[in-house]
């Protein structure tokens, strides 16, 4: 059987779907269509066939989007895959339309609704309309949180009969094992991993941390990730103040999780934040937004704290609250988080459910 996977970047696909793809490869041919990146060679090593497909992930350019649709039509027509699996909004929409036109079996993954669904303007109406066209005949539509599923069904983009709710991409519990908690110290180390952009709550995080610094709290915020937006100047300022440490993008985040006392993600919207799950699986407390796709990773006040999204003051309160805990209390939060993730977010369960829905429908 031929399986064609359409995605917008290699990093997320490799880090969060590798185990699923490896299971496909046991019995099937797997083609991946996405832009070339640093993980493509790893995909080829495990047996995938790569098709370079440039995608403007965040841009709204009709000409580029039409080119992407035509590329997908040509690709699917020539390859004749038995199943087309799509991730993220543009592959879902344009890969979905191409699959519908060519009567291919489509399995779409809603990994988050993005900014368009938070707005009330024309862009939201266009996206909803395109989703209705693209997903009308999808065999299955996978969701990572129940709120996203409800939104899509409420807009009549999908029906209950062809939707599947997963616990995100799950966590490889053998890879992300509980890490020794840092020894007691006067300096609390916070860690953020993600794209550096407003929608990840970077403005609120920097403002809250600057306030903590001005009030003489002892802490460090380490940030890992690409700049999606221009924060270089403000990062430079806070690095000079001594409390911000920017380490860029890192393929292996585990050494950084090991060194931190707490993981922080004040995002505005998520499908299911894998970084929260991985940090919690590593026995680290989590401070994250009280939104779908983030709150699921935390038992509030037990394994971490939930903060009000887009509210730097509330984030400041939660960070301050954590700093004032004893090391034993912080350690206990991390242990509770690991147990929560082990019970609810085992990647083996997610892979097995996904395969059952793919190959029995």
């Amino acid at each position: 059987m031929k399986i064609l996977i359409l995605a917008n970047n290699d990093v997320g696909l490799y880090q969060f779907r590798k185990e699923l793809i490896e299971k496909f490869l046991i019995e099937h041919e797997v083609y991946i269509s996405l832009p070339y990146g640093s993980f493509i060679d790893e995909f080829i090593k495990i047996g995938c066939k790569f098709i370079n497909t440039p995608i403007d992930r965040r841009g709204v350019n009709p000409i580029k989007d039409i080119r992407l649709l035509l590329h997908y039509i040509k690709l699917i027509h020539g390859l004749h895959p038995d199943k087309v699996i799509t991730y993220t909004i543009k592959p879902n929409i344009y890969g979905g339309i191409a699959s519908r036109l060519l009567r291919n079996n489509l399995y779409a993954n809603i990994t988050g609704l993005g900014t368009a669904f938070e707005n009330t303007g024309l862009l939201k109406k266009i996206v909803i309309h395109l989703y209705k066209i693209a997903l009308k005949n999808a065999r299955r539509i996978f969701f990572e949180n129940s709120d996203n599923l409800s939104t899509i069904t409420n807009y009549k983009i999908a029906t209950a009969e062809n939707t599947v709710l997963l616990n995100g991409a799950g966590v490889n519990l053998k890879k992300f094992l509980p890490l020794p908690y840092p020894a007691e110290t006067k300096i609390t180390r916070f860690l953020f991993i993600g794209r550096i952009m407003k929608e990840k709550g970077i403005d609120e995080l920097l403002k809250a941390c600057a306030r903590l610094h001005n009030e003489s709290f002892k802490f460090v915020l380490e940030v890992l990730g690409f700049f999606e937006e221009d924060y270089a100047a403000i990062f430079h300022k806070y690095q000079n103040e001594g409390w911000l440490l920017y380490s860029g993008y890192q393929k292996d985040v585990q050494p950084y999780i090991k060194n931190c006392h707490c993981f922080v993600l004040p995002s505005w919207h998520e499908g299911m934040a894998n970084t929260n799950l991985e940090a919690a699986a590593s026995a680290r407390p989590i401070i994250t937004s009280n939104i779908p796709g983030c709150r699921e990773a935390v038992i509030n006040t037990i394994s971490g704290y939930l903060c009000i999204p887009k509210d730097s003051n509330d984030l400041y309160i939660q960070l301050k609250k954590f700093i004032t805990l004893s090391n034993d209390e912080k350690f206990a939060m991390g242990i509770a988080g690991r147990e929560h993730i082990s019970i609810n977010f085992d990647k083996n369960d997610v892979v097995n459910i996904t395969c059952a829905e793919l190959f029995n429908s």
Side-chain angles (χ1 to χ4, degrees):
M1 181 182 294
K2 285 183 186 177
I3 296 173
L4 173 62
I5 297 173
L6 310 179
N8 71 4
N9 78 89
D10 60 312
V11 177
L13 190 66
Y14 187 83
Q15 291 181 337
F16 308 130
R17 317 288 171 182
K18 175 175 173 274
E19 292 85 354
L20 178 64
I21 292 171
E22 286 177 326
K23 188 155 185 175
F24 292 163
L25 285 163
I26 294 172
E27 296 182 358
H28 309 291
E29 284 186 277
V30 177
Y31 295 78
I32 55 172
S33 167
L34 66 165
Y36 183 82
S38 59
F39 285 97
I40 294 302
D41 290 342
E42 299 299 322
F43 276 121
I44 293 171
K45 284 179 185 177
I46 65 174
C48 294
K49 296 176 176 64
F50 170 61
I51 300 155
N52 191 25
T53 305
I55 297 178
D56 183 5
R57 290 190 295 138
R58 301 187 66 207
V60 184
N61 185 317
I63 294 174
K64 289 183 179 180
D65 288 351
I66 290 170
R67 286 176 182 165
L68 180 61
L69 172 60
L70 294 174
H71 172 82
Y72 284 151
I73 291 172
K74 182 178 178 180
L75 173 60
I76 293 170
H77 177 73
L79 193 61
H80 297 295
D82 298 283
K83 296 181 186 293
V84 178
I85 302 172
T86 60
Y87 293 97
T88 68
I89 184 167
K90 288 194 177 182
N92 282 340
I93 288 175
Y94 300 114
I97 292 172
S99 296
R100 184 178 174 188
L101 289 172
L102 297 170
R103 301 178 183 274
N104 274 88
N105 294 321
L106 175 68
Y107 298 82
N109 288 264
I110 307 294
T111 54
L113 296 180
T115 308
F117 276 85
E118 292 192 345
N119 298 326
T120 56
L122 179 61
L123 179 60
K124 180 177 180 178
K125 292 179 181 178
I126 292 172
V127 170
I128 290 171
H129 182 65
L130 288 173
Y131 258 135
K132 285 181 177 180
I133 296 170
L135 303 184
K136 181 176 175 59
N137 295 329
R139 300 301 295 269
R140 291 290 184 273
I141 305 172
F142 297 94
F143 293 85
E144 297 194 343
N145 68 66
S146 57
D147 288 68
N148 284 180
L149 192 157
S150 297
T151 298
I152 291 295
T153 52
N154 286 343
Y155 281 112
K156 302 188 187 309
I157 295 169
T159 61
E161 289 74 21
N162 69 341
T163 57
V164 180
L165 180 62
L166 301 171
N167 280 346
V171 181
N172 185 331
L173 297 174
K174 292 181 179 178
K175 178 181 178 182
F176 288 92
L177 294 165
L179 296 171
Y181 201 73
E184 189 161 7
T185 174
K186 292 181 180 179
I187 299 176
T188 300
R189 294 184 67 91
F190 294 108
L191 176 66
F192 170 94
I193 303 173
R195 291 176 292 156
I196 300 166
M197 55 193 294
K198 284 186 177 183
E199 293 172 33
K200 294 295 181 181
I202 284 291
D203 288 348
E204 293 82 9
L205 181 57
L206 295 178
K207 187 174 181 180
C209 286
R211 184 174 170 186
L212 289 171
H213 173 72
N214 291 337
E215 294 177 6
S216 300
F217 284 94
K218 303 298 181 184
F219 72 97
V220 171
L221 170 65
E222 186 160 20
V223 175
L224 308 183
F226 295 116
F227 282 106
E228 286 276 5
E229 296 165 358
D230 187 8
Y231 282 87
I234 193 74
F235 267 47
H236 182 69
K237 175 180 184 294
Y238 291 145
Q239 282 178 292
N240 287 339
E241 290 183 3
W243 58 265
L244 178 64
L245 178 61
Y246 177 56
S247 300
Y249 169 74
Q250 299 293 327
K251 277 189 174 182
D252 182 8
V253 299
Q254 287 182 293
Y256 299 90
I257 295 174
K258 182 178 181 180
N259 288 336
C260 83
H261 295 92
C262 179
F263 182 77
V264 185
L265 181 67
S267 189
W268 295 3
H269 51 79
E270 295 284 342
M272 184 65 70
N274 292 287
T275 49
N276 275 344
L277 303 183
E278 292 172 352
S282 304
R284 290 298 178 268
I286 307 295
I287 296 175
T288 194
S289 302
N290 189 8
I291 60 168
C294 284
R295 67 167 74 105
E296 294 87 347
V298 177
I299 305 172
N300 196 27
T301 74
I302 304 297
S303 69
Y305 296 118
L306 296 175
C307 62
I308 299 170
K310 304 183 185 181
D311 188 329
S312 64
N313 182 63
D314 191 60
L315 178 58
Y316 156 82
I317 291 170
Q318 307 312 322
L319 295 171
K320 179 179 175 181
K321 195 186 301 182
F322 184 82
I323 290 173
T324 59
L325 295 175
S326 70
N327 213 55
D328 287 343
E329 289 172 315
K330 295 172 182 175
F331 170 76
M333 274 190 164
I335 295 301
R338 168 68 187 193
E339 183 179 1
H340 173 62
I341 298 301
S342 298
I343 293 169
N344 297 290
F345 293 95
D346 188 334
K347 186 177 286 289
N348 288 329
D349 296 337
V350 174
V351 168
N352 290 335
I353 293 169
T354 303
C355 287
E357 294 291 342
L358 280 167
F359 299 116
N360 295 321
S361 63

